[in-house]
Amino acid sequence: MIRLDETETLMRKLFVCCVVMVAAFAVIAPAAAGQRDSGHPRIGLVLAGGGARGAAHIGVLQVLEKLRIPIHAIAGTSMGSLVGGVYAAGLSADELERRVTQVDWNELFDDNPPRKDWPTRRKDASMTPTWNFTIGVREGKMQLPKGAISGQKVQLFFNDLVKGVETVQDFDALPIPFRAVATNLENGEMKVFDHGSLPVAMRASMAVPGIFAPMEWDNHIYVDGGLVRNLPVDVARSMGVDMLIVVNLGSGFLPREKLTNILGVTGQMIAILTEQNVANSLKEIDHTRDILIVPDLGDIGSGDFARAADAIATGVTAANKARRQLARYSLSESEYANWKRQRFGRGQPVQQVGEVKIAALHQVSKGVFDGIIEHQAGQPLDRERLEQDIQKVYGRDDFERISYRFEPQGNGQDRLIVDAVEKAWGPGYLGFGLGLSSDNKGDSRFGLKATYNQTWINALGAEWSTALKLGNAPSLHTELYQPLNLDRATFVAPYLDYSLSPDSVFLGDQRVARYDVTRERAGADLGMTLHGVEMRIGAYLGQTNMALDTGSLALPQERITDTGVRGRIIYDTLDNAALPTSGSRLSLESMTPLTVLGADVDYSRVLFSAKTTKSNGKNTLAGTIKAGSSFGGNMPYYDQFPLGGFLKLSGYANEQFRGNDMAFASLVYYRQITSLPPPLGRGLYLGASLEAGWLSDSTIYNSNTGKDILLSSEATRMGGSLFFGSDTWIGPAYLGLGLSQSGDSTIYVLIGRP
């Protein structure tokens, strides 16, 4: 039997044990639950959306770091999710400023990889001299892209920013717990990303409707979180914090003068929606413990990414105004150094890749990604090579976006997952275009163009392309491009071609006749691509009809069978088809009608062209040389080499001179006077040119006398021009003044590439 004094002693011991356990739990539990600093409140950071204005958040973070204020949780929307997510991933405010201010945002918002990395077939299509607008055709229905910008390069940029935590799936396990807010486009509900791929979450939160394509993830479609919660005060509060530092970017309303186009109206509509929910969020702030910071962004707009440094400065100024309120949450130097050391640094980027998984494919063959698998699977991660390979595949133009992520696989390796999202508006593409060239010397050509391109007809990626042009120079071209392997190293391409062109005949400076020259071709090419060089050779059946429209009946009118063989070699690294700033293009083309194949004529026509460009800042110098020869043969008038026209001996009429042999050189300078934000285009340019061309004698057969008429003698001629050019998303346009060595001047108007 236990005595009373023993019972009291036992009770005292139990009480002491309970006190010790409670005290231990009070110390251990907060640290485990949220990295609580001893005696310091848990601080949550709320970062609002606002496009480029969101760079102000970086300035606020810089002041917080200087004041030694730790952040224990972050919730962000749109640009706030980018800044917050990257900071939560372990990038310091200064490093974040460096990355945001040094990146070329215009380049980042241009989805296309460098043109030099495109397949030759796509490069050739870009040389088409028309304004083009393309829509998709899927299952017999026409569809538009889901946004002006797919976000291909943006996604890769996000991957690089957070590579130190790229295998972290739980956002509470990040150096700083984080939440990204997006909007579920299907039901309008708020989506709070607290796990998964961090770059995907940030990209979804930033998907501004109409500008960025929505983000499809886990069978849902997400757009910018600003539509439902641009200032996620409640989200941050739910993360177990004691107080909040809230950074609101203020009203982003556009002034009346900017509400004159669809972009301005769309932007204002989104601003109205976001400001409505911001007003509700501001009511949730407890001013007795929370701190509200509102940078004065002035005229910095949501699209002014080039002014990121200015926006950051406003964040510094605004945070300094709240310095007294913020200072009470400062840690000692040693405490803050310890907090910072645990959260900022290189992190743990993937070192070794195990399995490579290609996700989301439907029509495109998985074999297209063999290069990525070969270069990465079971090897140390080569991130630069991975992004280069991704951009090369993306350049095929089959995908809306291609991104990558990692999942832990064990054994020191991580699984690489490549998310290849095919274009939802393909695989058929219907395009509409407009081409126009006119001068004040009586030569005008115009055409309405329609194209249809059907991709991935079979497992090897066959394409069927058709182009129809209506106008005074109509044409029809259709071709089946059948690769013999997935890398397109070899291919066959049967085709049909019809064209009618109005070709003028000049005697000196006078136009004396005009022909309607109709060409009909049916043929097939065998080709190969090697190290960026495409080579084709093939036979064709052909007929050309010269019908005199105006002029002397003494001039020949005939239908010529010119069946033969043709060949072509092309190497193209230009960064732009219309107004390139770097790269070169070399081409060698030959055509030989052969009497042994039934041709009425027998000659060889060879043309070599070379163009190279160099730039210094906004200034570009482009040099071009051309040389053509019939090797002593006498070609029909329509196949003789023409010169004359804008940038082809400016100041003279279009194709005023012809000859069996030709040499030409030009030097063109142009300066970008303003840029256009993607996706509108690249910019506006002012330029000038100097040109020189030599042609042999030009003759045409006289039916009455049986002799040739000399139209122009062998000579070297000079020309030059001044011009204004624009490079837009639907194509280039030019307004030019040409001057010839004889003193003639010509005004040129062109829509499309000259």
Side-chain angles (χ1 to χ4, degrees):
M1 184 173 182
I2 300 176
R3 298 195 305 270
L4 181 60
D5 58 341
E6 291 176 338
T7 301
E8 292 176 349
T9 301
L10 182 60
M11 293 295 291
R12 291 192 192 98
K13 290 180 178 179
L14 289 172
F15 177 75
V16 171
C17 287
C18 289
V19 171
V20 171
M21 290 175 65
V22 170
F25 182 79
V27 172
I28 296 171
Q35 307 164 318
R36 181 184 297 276
D37 298 287
S38 178
H40 197 278
R42 284 176 49 78
I43 301 172
L45 181 64
V46 180
L47 302 179
R53 296 160 63 89
H57 295 317
I58 300 173
V60 173
L61 289 172
Q62 289 175 327
V63 174
L64 296 181
E65 288 187 1
K66 288 180 181 178
L67 293 176
R68 304 189 302 277
I69 297 175
I71 301 299
H72 303 86
I74 302 175
T77 298
S78 196
M79 190 65 174
S81 76
L82 169 60
V83 175
V86 174
Y87 194 72
L91 230 63
S92 69
D94 287 343
E95 178 64 13
L96 189 50
E97 177 186 27
R98 185 185 70 81
R99 296 298 301 273
V100 168
T101 55
Q102 290 186 3
V103 69
D104 185 341
W105 288 94
N106 283 341
E107 173 66 20
L108 205 63
F109 290 150
D110 181 359
D111 288 320
N112 276 320
R115 183 179 177 276
K116 65 181 180 63
D117 296 331
W118 294 3
T120 301
R121 183 172 177 79
R122 187 180 176 195
K123 291 177 184 176
D124 279 353
S126 73
M127 303 296 287
T128 303
T130 56
W131 276 12
N132 290 297
F133 175 73
T134 302
I135 60 176
V137 180
R138 191 179 187 89
E139 297 177 352
K141 298 179 180 179
M142 295 186 183
Q143 299 186 24
L144 291 172
K146 292 177 286 186
I149 300 171
S150 291
Q152 169 67 14
K153 294 179 184 176
V154 170
Q155 188 82 41
L156 295 179
F157 179 59
F158 288 177
N159 275 92
D160 186 61
L161 287 175
V162 302
K163 61 187 176 185
V165 296
E166 54 197 345
T167 60
V168 175
Q169 299 296 305
D170 183 355
F171 292 177
D172 282 335
L174 294 170
I176 302 174
F178 172 68
R179 301 289 185 270
V181 177
T183 302
N184 188 323
L185 189 60
E186 297 166 90
N187 55 29
E189 294 180 356
M190 178 175 68
K191 167 65 177 178
V192 178
F193 282 92
D194 58 5
H195 68 279
S197 168
L198 181 56
V200 168
M202 296 190 300
R203 168 66 178 80
S205 183
M206 290 185 64
V208 181
I211 305 300
F212 280 100
M215 189 72 179
E216 295 188 31
W217 191 252
D218 285 342
N219 294 319
H220 292 291
I221 304 173
Y222 298 107
V223 294
D224 196 297
L227 299 178
V228 290
R229 197 76 86 252
N230 200 51
L231 192 65
V233 172
D234 57 337
V235 176
R237 188 90 71 194
S238 69
M239 298 175 73
V241 297
D242 300 313
M243 59 84 60
L244 298 175
I245 297 173
V246 181
V247 186
N248 184 26
L249 300 177
S251 171
F253 294 136
L254 295 172
R256 180 173 183 143
E257 58 269 19
K258 291 190 177 182
L259 303 179
T260 57
N261 54 58
I262 188 172
L263 294 178
V265 172
T266 301
Q268 193 78 322
M269 177 187 68
I270 295 171
I272 292 170
L273 291 174
T274 57
E275 285 305 310
Q276 288 176 350
N277 67 67
V278 165
N280 293 328
S281 296
L282 289 173
K283 296 175 183 177
E284 300 172 356
I285 296 176
D286 184 346
H287 293 283
T288 63
R289 53 176 177 160
D290 300 334
I291 299 173
L292 176 63
I293 298 173
V294 184
D296 182 6
L297 287 150
D299 63 346
I300 299 175
S302 59
D304 293 333
F305 286 92
R307 299 183 63 185
D310 296 336
I312 291 171
T314 68
V316 172
T317 301
N320 278 327
K321 288 181 179 179
R323 196 179 189 93
R324 181 176 298 178
Q325 294 172 275
L326 293 168
R328 55 183 168 171
Y329 299 109
S330 297
L331 296 179
S332 68
E333 291 187 7
S334 61
E335 286 177 318
Y336 187 72
N338 181 59
W339 178 86
K340 195 172 183 178
R341 186 166 48 252
Q342 295 177 29
R343 289 161 179 81
F344 299 120
R346 185 173 179 271
Q348 295 181 323
V350 169
Q351 300 296 321
Q352 185 75 23
V353 177
E355 176 190 2
V356 177
K357 179 181 177 182
I358 310 299
L361 289 180
H362 297 287
Q363 291 179 312
V364 177
S365 172
K366 183 181 177 181
V368 170
F369 293 86
D370 283 349
I372 293 176
I373 297 174
E374 177 185 348
H375 296 148
Q376 305 295 334
Q379 301 183 45
L381 173 63
D382 186 341
R383 194 179 303 272
E384 183 177 352
R385 182 63 178 268
L386 173 61
E387 294 194 357
Q388 288 176 352
D389 287 345
I390 284 176
Q391 289 294 77
K392 182 178 179 180
V393 176
Y394 186 77
R396 295 174 65 106
D397 210 24
D398 296 315
F399 298 93
E400 180 179 328
R401 63 176 175 85
I402 306 176
S403 57
Y404 68 93
R405 52 193 168 94
F406 294 94
E407 290 180 352
Q409 190 176 342
N411 301 321
Q413 296 184 336
D414 295 289
R415 180 182 292 107
L416 168 62
I417 301 175
V418 178
D419 293 308
V421 181
E422 297 172 13
K423 288 183 175 179
W425 57 94
Y429 304 95
L430 182 63
F432 302 95
L434 170 67
L436 169 69
S437 65
S438 179
D439 59 32
N440 61 340
K441 293 195 172 182
D443 189 272
S444 295
R445 303 192 183 194
F446 62 90
L448 298 175
K449 183 178 180 181
T451 62
Y452 181 74
N453 188 32
Q454 179 71 36
T455 63
W456 288 97
I457 295 174
N458 55 37
L460 289 176
E463 298 180 11
W464 175 43
S465 300
T466 299
L468 171 66
K469 185 168 67 173
L470 302 176
N472 65 347
S475 64
L476 173 66
H477 178 83
T478 186
E479 177 183 89
L480 176 64
Y481 178 84
Q482 176 62 69
L484 302 181
N485 36 44
L486 279 173
D487 63 3
R488 301 181 178 181
T490 54
F491 61 89
V492 293
Y495 63 90
L496 294 173
D497 188 79
Y498 167 87
S499 67
L500 185 153
S501 61
D503 289 357
S504 296
V505 179
F506 287 85
L507 183 59
D509 293 334
Q510 300 297 315
R511 182 182 283 108
V512 295
R514 191 190 299 272
Y515 278 100
D516 286 333
V517 179
T518 304
R519 292 180 171 88
E520 299 165 354
R521 300 283 187 271
D525 291 338
L526 175 65
M528 65 181 297
T529 304
L530 183 64
H531 301 301
V533 179
E534 182 185 274
M535 295 166 279
R536 286 187 177 215
I537 188 169
Y540 65 89
L541 300 173
Q543 284 197 334
T544 301
N545 183 51
M546 293 178 62
L548 193 63
D549 179 53
T550 58
S552 172
L553 295 178
L555 296 176
Q557 299 189 70
E558 53 190 338
R559 187 173 186 87
I560 299 173
T561 297
D562 46 14
T563 297
V565 296
R566 71 172 192 173
R568 186 182 73 171
I569 301 174
I570 291 181
Y571 174 74
D572 188 344
T573 62
L574 294 176
D575 66 337
N576 184 276
L579 290 157
T581 58
S582 65
S584 302
R585 178 180 171 91
L586 306 175
S587 69
L588 179 64
E589 301 177 20
S590 67
M591 182 189 71
T592 304
L594 296 172
T595 54
V596 295
L597 296 180
D600 299 327
V601 290
D602 196 343
Y603 59 89
S604 293
R605 184 184 193 275
V606 177
L607 174 65
F608 171 76
S609 301
K611 180 175 184 175
T612 187
T613 57
K614 292 289 184 181
S615 294
N616 182 11
K618 296 182 180 298
N619 302 292
T620 300
L621 200 61
T624 300
I625 60 172
K626 294 182 180 182
S629 180
S630 63
F631 302 100
N634 189 21
M635 297 187 291
Y637 183 76
Y638 57 81
D639 262 345
Q640 293 176 17
F641 299 103
L643 283 179
F646 184 55
L647 301 183
K648 299 175 295 185
L649 281 187
S650 300
Y652 294 101
N654 187 52
E655 298 184 352
Q656 181 173 337
F657 308 105
R658 291 178 181 266
N660 289 303
D661 299 287
M662 176 269 292
F664 172 81
S666 71
L667 197 60
V668 182
Y669 164 83
Y670 41 93
R671 176 180 174 82
Q672 184 177 1
I673 55 176
T674 188
S675 59
L676 297 174
L680 295 181
R682 290 205 313 167
L684 306 178
Y685 300 80
L686 285 178
S689 68
L690 291 175
E691 306 139 44
W694 169 85
L695 282 167
S696 60
D697 291 348
S698 177
T699 61
I700 191 169
Y701 183 71
N702 187 326
S703 302
N704 290 340
T705 64
K707 298 180 180 179
D708 288 335
I709 302 172
L710 180 64
L711 299 175
S712 60
S713 300
E714 175 183 342
T716 299
R717 299 172 178 86
M718 307 287 289
S721 72
L722 300 171
F723 64 88
F724 169 80
S726 65
D727 186 11
T728 71
W729 71 281
I730 55 174
Y734 304 85
L735 175 64
L737 172 65
L739 301 170
S740 71
Q741 74 176 48
S742 60
D744 291 337
S745 62
T746 307
I747 297 174
Y748 301 100
V749 177
L750 300 98
I751 295 177
R753 187 184 58 83

